[in-house]
Amino acid sequence: MIATAAAALWFAAAGELAPTGPRAIYLLYVAILFAVALAAVRWPRIAGTLLVLGAIDLCWGLASPGLLPPSRAEPQRFAWHALLQVVPIPSLDIVSSNGLAIRHSSQGTRGRDPGPGGLAGRTVVATYGGSTGYDIGVGEGDTWSDRLNEALGRARYFVVNHGVPGYTTVEHLLQTAFYQEKFGRLPSCAVYYVGWNDLRNAHIPALDPAYADFHLPSQVDSLKVRRVGGGNVTFSPLLTVLARVLSAEVDTVRYAVDPYAYPPRSGDDPALTALFRRNVQSISRINRERGVATVWVGQLVNRERLAGDGRYGWLPLVRDRDVWPMLQTLNRVLAETATALGDSVVIVPPDTFGPDDFVDNGHFSARGARRFADALVPAVREACR
């Protein structure tokens, strides 16, 4: 009980203990187990069982970040999808655990519905990307898609943000082929901000051509859309582990193959580069057949945060210091492929963006999102006439 109280005080002092959050409930649960064990001391078997259970949950939770409940509850934003694995929940209006306002339209895209008058007389622009397209670092109205719409003029244009955290060119290909029409209209042009998430598949042995061996199944747990087990945590670390074991045995959606056991490798991955080029070509050809102009945008990252031999976690077999050189290769391939296809391409000079333009190692701050949108306006205006 003293250890539980000390942990609570430590978390509170660090600002990591919201009064009604999951972590507070977890510590309260452990404290109740110990209190009941103390009250049942005359019945040693009952008291001993409760004491062992409380000790396991306390030690396991404090020792394992993957089992420790978060300080604040994160409202569910995404749902499982049989083809894309993860999609945004439609008609969502929430405040995230870090205080950002998040809105999803009735069509399951980030942002608002067209509003009164709909899309009459307006040019529809679709934007695609992963977490940097969804813009996880900023709140409603501050995404680069919002700022792009603002710069183009809301009376004449409507930007639909198809971005979803984790999405690669594989998911964008599926989105383009099957889910491009929103609010009853195909877009006049589509903007794809791609590269970083594809790197997640670099150097994975015998890589599946559709990233179906690691990346796609991992999305289910990365965005916590599995009903039981996976990335979810409960008030009891022991219960969490048991749920994950049960899920691994009975859930139809299997866990991803774990590549983190392999050592990281340096240099470009020719197999991944070829798949990336193929996906870009496929997306472009679908758009061309439909009369949708395509604009490709090379990825930016916060290079100062990606240095050294460590791995920040999202890219299992790529060291931090190799991320930017490998992205430069994908950006070059993107530019060459887009030019050969007759598409528009924008490679934003990386030196024009600094640490203040990002909230972490690659997601835009409100300032960065605005500056990025401004850099895209000329190409988008030209392509989306």
Side-chain angles (χ1 to χ4, degrees), residues 356-379:
D356 290 343
D357 294 309
F358 302 94
V359 297
D360 52 22
N361 55 7
H363 299 98
F364 292 122
S365 62
R367 161 188 150 133
R370 182 186 291 275
R371 297 185 67 232
F372 184 69
D374 290 342
L376 302 186
V377 168

Side-chain angles (χ1 to χ4, degrees), residues 11-75:
F11 284 128
E16 298 179 2
L17 188 65
T20 58
R23 188 168 298 168
I25 294 172
Y26 153 70
L27 291 171
L28 178 61
Y29 156 74
V30 172
I32 289 174
L33 283 179
F34 290 141
V36 175
L38 184 62
V41 71
R42 293 184 179 181
W43 300 275
R45 292 182 180 179
I46 295 175
T49 299
L50 294 174
L51 181 61
V52 169
L53 178 59
I56 290 173
D57 273 336
L58 179 65
C59 296
W60 219 344
L62 297 182
S64 176
L67 298 176
L68 180 66
S71 173
R72 293 173 175 79
E74 180 65 49

Side-chain angles (χ1 to χ4, degrees), residues 6 44 88 126 171 195 289 295 301 304 372:
E171 288 100 324
E289 182 180 327
V295 179
V301 291
E304 293 190 13
F372 184 69

